[in-house]
Amino acid sequence: MENQNRRVATLTLDDGRSIELPIMSGTLGADVIDIRELGKLGMFTYDPGFLSTASCSSEITFIDGDAGLLYYRGYPIEQLAEHSSFLEVCYLMLNGELPDAQQHEAFGNKVTRHTMVHDQLVRFYNGFRRDAHPMAVMVGVVGALSAFYHDSIDISNPAHREISAMRMIAKVPTIAAMAYKYNTGEPFMYPKNSFGYVENFMYMMFGTPCEDYVPNPVLVRALERIFILHADHEQNASTSTVRLAGSSGANPYACVSSGIAALWGPAHGGANEAVLKMLEEIGDISRAAEFMAGVKDKKYRLMGFGHRVYKSMDPRASVMRRTCYEVLRELKLEDDRMFQMALELEQIALKDDYFIERRLYPNVDFYSGIVLRALGVPTNMFTVFFALARTIGWVSQWSEMIADNERKIGRPRQLYQGAVRRDYVPIDRR
Ligand code: ACO
């Protein structure tokens, strides 16, 4: 701390004024310059897209894009994907530590007891067109949860924050499965609490009242891994949206709903869908080389490649590739045309100077669409699955922000480039 206080960056303006700005160090990652005092000079910084701005301090997730590292609360994503469960990761995210056996069981029981939605909420679905995009339904119905829990949305009360977090983790899978069922016209399935978290979601998605649903453990594990890989990714667009909405004191259901809206955009949550579309268009492995030539000519992009933060292999992509093998083997689809094409494109890219020079590697989305498709998930539900998994990240980041003594309402400034002052001209003189 002492050392941290001694380090400063000195900013000198062209008019000779200067200011010393403290340099702050985190436990990992790049140092940051604390510019909070800059306003004293009557100036702001300009940083569209926040490429050089840390908007908060956080203890939840760490990414090193150059080294290809992703940690949740210090634990490498590969270890969590291999050994942990999604509910355990939820506990870790919310509480900062892995649970012991008793805490794990108590947490699981709590989540399980909140999986049903209020019966009145079911009527919301009838207000949507049957062909409504399930993400539109998610934005609406998750936001509507705030209308049901007036008694527990005092954000300054830690017990209220905890119960809201539990409700969100438990109910978002139910709401997501209902969005799917409404789309297909099949009856809604009530949650079945004898199932684990992921099994229960698969049951609500793929089960029907006509027959017993027997979850396949290999496929359950695959989906569990997808959820773990997508649980959080530090201050991305949707998480920043949740924090910004929450900074005004808005209730957590409304904040998560705003996160779902941000995730819906194709540049954020829609890339795995775009990968499948691309593979469909290529059509056959024999056309892979020709397609890649078009990528290098900048006619189109290789979807599922490249990342704003990762400039080496996205650690989630390797886990996802392995999961892809496991799922396709289990379903006896090893020769899956899409998967073979994806492997071929990856091999070409990893050896090609265009991709090597630009540090373009597969990201998590390159293989996740193939896994989801093999599981029988329709493409319009891909982003919904992402939203389900990311709910724990949003809720944890929101809780952290509310408990932070340095919390302020989010209020970026701007570089104004509009008209200077002018007088109103009556319409007959324009
Ligand atoms: N295919 C071909 N060329 C690419 C690709 C790609 N997928 N991605 C980047 N490039 C090239 C650009 O043309 C540019 O080349 P140039 O230097 O000759 O002009 C260079 O690499 C840098 O590209 P930028 O767009 O500046 O990189 P940025 O970091 O801003 O973009 C992004 C990252 C948006 C993810 C980009 O790589 C991309 O569009 N990828 C495809 C879409 C995708 O997979 N998105 C999912 C991201 S992961 C997620 O959201 C969960």
Side-chain angles (χ1 to χ4, degrees):
M1 195 71 187
E2 214 175 89
N3 191 24
Q4 177 180 312
N5 287 341
R6 272 191 268 119
R7 297 182 59 213
V8 292
T10 305
L11 177 71
T12 306
L13 304 181
D14 51 2
D15 63 8
R17 287 181 300 157
S18 85
I19 187 166
E20 286 196 338
L21 301 167
I23 295 175
M24 300 168 78
S25 298
T27 49
L28 290 172
D31 291 344
V32 301
I33 301 172
D34 178 354
I35 57 161
R36 281 175 290 184
E37 296 288 301
L38 200 59
K40 285 185 179 162
L41 295 180
M43 294 183 105
F44 310 115
T45 51
Y46 181 64
D47 186 20
F50 308 115
L51 269 76
S52 301
T53 299
S55 60
C56 61
S57 72
S58 178
E59 297 177 4
I60 300 174
T61 295
F62 173 73
I63 302 174
D64 182 331
D66 286 324
L69 304 176
L70 170 60
Y71 302 161
Y72 295 160
R73 300 282 191 185
Y75 294 101
I77 190 69
E78 296 86 345
Q79 291 184 21
L80 293 171
E82 188 63 28
H83 304 296
S84 188
S85 68
F86 183 65
L87 269 191
E88 189 178 54
V89 168
C90 289
Y91 184 98
L92 172 69
M93 290 256 167
L94 276 174
N95 299 290
E97 297 297 334
L98 288 168
D100 62 23
Q102 219 176 356
Q103 290 164 327
H104 190 265
E105 197 188 336
F107 185 75
N109 286 340
K110 248 192 219 168
V111 171
T112 304
R113 277 207 308 277
H114 286 289
T115 49
M116 266 202 303
V117 292
H118 194 292
D119 223 39
Q120 196 73 12
L121 196 84
V122 175
R123 300 187 186 195
F124 273 66
Y125 286 81
N126 292 327
F128 289 101
R129 284 170 50 138
R130 284 276 174 191
D131 61 355
H133 195 289
M135 281 299 272
V137 177
M138 293 295 288
V139 171
V141 178
V142 172
L145 285 177
S146 29
F148 289 82
Y149 302 110
H150 298 291
D151 57 337
S152 53
I153 50 175
D154 172 6
I155 60 158
S156 62
N157 182 332
H160 284 199
R161 295 206 294 272
E162 196 202 328
I163 185 81
S164 301
M166 290 298 164
R167 285 195 174 118
M168 219 103 62
I169 301 164
K171 291 184 203 303
V172 166
T174 312
I175 291 170
M178 287 168 78
Y180 171 65
K181 290 294 195 193
Y182 186 72
N183 221 221
T184 58
E186 287 181 11
F188 295 147
M189 298 294 285
Y190 282 112
K192 195 167 176 172
N193 291 347
S194 55
F195 281 139
Y197 186 88
V198 179
E199 286 173 323
N200 182 45
F201 175 59
M202 290 178 86
Y203 162 74
M204 290 188 290
M205 276 284 298
F206 302 119
T208 67
C210 320
E211 48 193 51
D212 286 341
Y213 180 77
V214 184
N216 175 326
V218 175
L219 306 188
V220 171
R221 186 65 200 141
L223 192 54
E224 181 127 39
R225 257 194 228 131
I226 292 183
F227 288 171
I228 293 172
L229 295 181
H230 287 86
D232 197 42
H233 214 222
E234 55 123 295
Q235 308 309 320
N236 55 81
S238 57
T239 303
S240 300
T241 303
V242 170
R243 277 187 178 259
L244 195 57
S247 75
S248 72
N251 76 70
Y253 306 103
C255 295
V256 168
S257 171
S258 70
I260 296 172
L263 184 73
W264 193 1
H268 192 359
N272 52 8
E273 202 175 327
V275 171
L276 281 196
K277 273 194 198 132
M278 175 187 78
L279 294 174
E280 286 287 6
E281 273 165 32
I282 300 172
D284 190 83
I285 199 163
S286 61
R287 294 196 52 228
E290 176 196 336
F291 178 84
M292 291 299 261
V295 171
K296 286 159 59 176
D297 285 345
K298 299 210 184 274
K299 289 186 189 146
Y300 34 75
R301 286 194 168 194
L302 178 59
M303 300 311 289
F305 258 69
H307 195 277
R308 173 54 66 75
V309 181
Y310 294 116
K311 298 302 170 195
S312 65
M313 189 82 176
D314 176 345
R316 302 167 303 171
S318 332
V319 179
M320 195 56 82
R321 196 202 296 107
R322 256 200 330 275
T323 304
C324 210
Y325 272 115
E326 282 170 22
V327 166
L328 296 178
R329 196 180 313 122
E330 176 66 15
L331 297 173
K332 304 200 179 358
L333 294 171
E334 290 100 328
D335 295 333
D336 179 80
R337 192 171 50 93
M338 297 264 192
F339 185 48
Q340 295 307 327
M341 269 193 284
L343 289 175
E344 176 70 12
L345 292 172
E346 182 183 349
Q347 279 316 306
I348 297 174
L350 293 180
K351 288 186 216 127
D352 194 300
D353 282 347
Y354 174 95
F355 296 90
I356 296 168
E357 280 161 14
R358 290 171 179 77
R359 305 178 73 190
L360 300 169
Y361 296 88
N363 61 52
V364 65
D365 287 322
F366 195 60
Y367 289 105
S368 66
I370 299 172
V371 178
L372 290 174
R373 176 173 153 272
L375 293 177
V377 181
T379 40
N380 68 353
M381 282 294 289
F382 285 6
T383 321
V384 175
F385 276 52
F386 191 164
L388 188 165
R390 186 54 59 84
T391 296
I392 181 59
W394 292 328
V395 169
S396 306
Q397 300 264 355
W398 171 82
S399 296
E400 182 181 65
M401 179 195 63
I402 299 295
D404 185 348
N405 293 333
E406 291 194 339
R407 171 166 73 98
K408 289 201 180 309
I409 185 167
R411 178 55 170 93
R413 302 302 297 258
Q414 63 171 10
L415 174 65
Y416 177 68
Q417 301 274 29
V420 296
R421 188 197 179 284
R422 48 187 171 165
D423 290 321
Y424 178 79
V425 181
I427 197 160
D428 57 338
R429 278 199 269 129
R430 280 176 224 162

